Amino acid sequence: MSYNLPPLIGQRFGRLVVVDEPPPDGKHRKVVCRCDCGRTKAIRHDGLRGGRSTTCGACNRSMDRLKSVVGQVFGKLTVIDEPEIKRNRRVTCRCECGRVVNRLLSNLKRGQTKSCGCTKWYDHEYGYIYYLFDPIDMRLRYIGQSVQKPGVRLSGHLYGARQRGRKVNCEAKMEWIKNLKPYRPAVWIAERDIPVADLDAREQYHIAAALAKGESLLNIHHARAVA
C-alpha cells in the first residue's frame, strides 16, 4: 500500500494540531495530534482529512459539563441561576412548588434529585417510622420517618456522616454514625403504611414514647408534646 501523502505536521484540524507522523503500522495511517485541551492522541489520517475528527474526543465530554444549564428542567426543578460554571457545581433551582433551592448539577443530571424535597408528598402515599439501634449494645438511638426503601434511607444517613462542612439536621446522630465504623446502625421498621400527611405526628408520637421509657435518643430535639 502506498503512503505517498503530503506531510501534516503543524497543520490544524479543528481543535487538533498534528505534532508527529510515525511510520505506518497496519491498514490505516495514524498521526499524533495535540488537542487544545492539552491531550495527545493518535488519530487516523483519513479522519482528519475528511473532517470527521476535530477533537481528542475526551474534551467533548468535558466541554459539555461546562455548558450553562440555566433554563433546563430536571424533574420538578428548573435551573434559574448558576453562580459559577465548573464541573462539580451547585446550581440554583426553582421547584414546581415554588421553593428555591441549591442542588448539585451532577445529581440533577443523574436523576437522583428531582425536586426540592416535596416529591415525597407528590409521589408517595404512604411512609413508615424506623428506629436506628447501636449495633454493639442494641440501644435505641434514633427515630425517623421515610418514604424511601430502608436500605436507601440508611445509605443516606451513612453518606451524610461522611460529609464535612455540610449542614445537617442532627449533628449528634452524624457523629454517632461516624464513630461506629466499621459497623453500621441496625434498622428496624416500627410502623408501616402511614399516610404521608400523618408521618410527622407519628414520628413525634414514637419519639415521645421512647423518651418516656428512658431511651437516650440523639434526635431528642425533634420531640414535641403529643396529645
Side-chain angles (χ1 to χ4, degrees):
M1 180 180 293
S2 175
Y3 287 95
N4 295 324
L5 299 172
L8 299 180
I9 292 180
Q11 293 191 40
R12 172 177 287 274
F13 299 87
R15 295 173 57 86
L16 298 171
V17 176
V18 181
V19 296
D20 190 21
E21 295 186 80
D25 182 16
K27 181 178 178 181
H28 300 288
R29 177 189 177 192
K30 290 187 176 182
V31 295
V32 179
C33 302
R34 179 174 290 111
C35 185
D36 288 348
C37 71
R39 293 180 177 86
T40 300
K41 184 178 181 180
I43 306 288
R44 280 178 51 170
H45 179 279
D46 57 348
L48 290 174
R49 304 286 291 188
R52 296 188 300 276
S53 299
T54 57
T55 74
C56 66
C59 67
N60 280 342
R61 295 185 289 273
S62 299
M63 291 170 66
D64 286 342
R65 296 190 191 103
L66 300 179
K67 290 180 180 178
S68 174
V69 293
V70 172
Q72 292 190 30
V73 179
F74 301 91
K76 299 181 184 297
L77 297 172
T78 300
V79 181
I80 59 175
D81 188 27
E82 43 191 354
E84 184 180 3
I85 296 182
K86 57 182 181 180
R87 293 187 182 182
N88 191 26
R89 65 188 187 269
R90 287 184 174 272
V91 294
T92 304
C93 307
R94 177 174 287 109
C95 186
E96 288 182 4
C97 71
R99 187 182 175 197
V100 176
V101 293
N102 290 322
R103 293 293 182 263
L104 275 174
L105 179 59
S106 55
N107 288 345
L108 293 173
K109 289 185 173 181
R110 286 195 295 263
Q112 291 180 311
T113 302
K114 299 179 180 179
S115 77
C116 67
C118 63
T119 303
K120 175 177 71 173
W121 304 101
Y122 293 158
D123 294 351
H124 300 275
E125 294 183 3
Y126 299 97
Y128 61 89
I129 301 299
Y130 64 92
Y131 292 1
L132 294 184
F133 291 89
D134 191 300
I136 299 174
D137 57 20
M138 293 308 294
R139 285 191 303 157
L140 175 59
R141 301 311 311 275
Y142 185 87
I143 296 176
Q145 60 167 284
S146 183
V147 295
Q148 299 174 311
K149 293 180 179 179
V152 175
R153 187 68 194 98
L154 178 59
S155 294
H157 284 303
L158 297 174
Y159 175 79
R162 294 197 300 268
Q163 305 308 298
R164 296 183 180 274
R166 179 174 178 261
K167 185 178 180 181
V168 297
N169 62 357
C170 186
E171 294 183 1
K173 177 198 66 177
M174 295 304 183
E175 286 299 317
W176 168 60
I177 292 177
K178 283 196 293 187
N179 292 332
L180 280 180
K181 289 182 178 180
Y183 303 103
R184 293 184 171 193
V187 183
W188 182 67
I189 306 302
E191 187 176 354
R192 298 177 181 272
D193 301 325
I194 306 170
V196 291
D198 299 332
L199 278 174
D200 287 341
R202 295 307 299 167
E203 179 188 39
Q204 294 161 21
Y205 174 83
H206 280 266
I207 291 174
L211 292 175
K213 293 180 180 178
E215 300 287 358
S216 178
L217 297 182
L218 296 170
N219 56 331
I220 189 173
H221 62 289
H222 288 169
R224 302 182 181 89
V226 178

